[in-house]
Amino acid sequence: MKAQLLEYTLRLGDNALILGQRLGEWCGHGPILEQDIALSNIALDQLGQARMLMQYAAEQKGGDYTEDKMAFLRPETEYHNCLLVELENGDWGKTIVRQFLFDTYNYFFYSALLNSTDNRLKEIAHKAIKEITYHAQWSAEWVIRLGDGTEESHQRAQTALNDLWEWTGELFSMDAIDEALLAEGIAVNLTDIKVQWDQKVNEILSLATLERPEDGWMQSGGKQGEHSEYLGYVLAVMQHLPRMYPEATW
């Protein structure tokens, strides 16, 4: 159970860490100053959540492991984030649609995690849920604005939705670790989250006049350490300085 809890903690931490790193790429490139700042703040919120989870993972690991080692000194195959968060940002529409799909999932996930029997995960969920709620509202409003906006913004949002849809199935796939921890009351039942996610996504896509893609074959493997070609580039940027100067402090 100890090893399963560690991997579960890393899955949550890596989702927040890699998405925060991706969103940070937008700093200084947002369409207007207000949204540049908003997206940068969301990136910082994600990194804050990642820090709490990395601290918990380092404590479980023991020895001289720290949150920094967990974040910066693991190889690609030891990251357990879902594939959706590591994809390229693309244009503003693609970043927003990706954020909406993940934020909606994350909101229902962390709402359920508030009831975890693991006190540390429960405590982290309590600290994170307020900002996660804001993220979900912000990205949903933007999806409606883009989808129900101009002909070009609608087309770009629909293209992004079509491209990203096959990466959403992994969010709800349960493996042996999910099942074992769910039986202990620690993990979240992803089947229940899928029902809530479907309802909310359908509601927002209807308001945005966007067409929901058909469910088909879905990408998977990120939770088990099998990643797309994109994660290596993310880690190369993120880990460059810590690996060059492993003893550096700031």
Side-chain angles (χ1 to χ4, degrees), residues 103-122:
D103 282 344
T104 305
Y105 158 80
N106 216 28
Y107 169 73
F108 290 119
F109 183 95
Y110 271 80
S111 295
L113 195 65
L114 292 171
N115 299 314
S116 174
T117 56
D118 185 274
N119 287 333
R120 193 64 175 277
L121 289 178
K122 186 176 180 178

Side-chain angles (χ1 to χ4, degrees), residues 57-75:
E59 291 169 15
Q60 293 177 54
K61 195 81 171 174
D64 62 349
Y65 278 93
T66 65
E67 63 192 74
D68 285 343
K69 284 188 176 180
M70 300 304 290
F72 297 124
L73 298 181
R74 280 181 291 146

Side-chain angles (χ1 to χ4, degrees), residues 212-233:
R212 174 177 167 136
E214 292 185 4
D215 290 333
W217 178 82
M218 293 287 180
Q219 301 275 358
S220 64
K223 290 168 63 172
Q224 291 77 32
E226 300 171 2
H227 294 281
S228 70
E229 67 270 28
Y230 300 110
L231 184 62
Y233 292 100

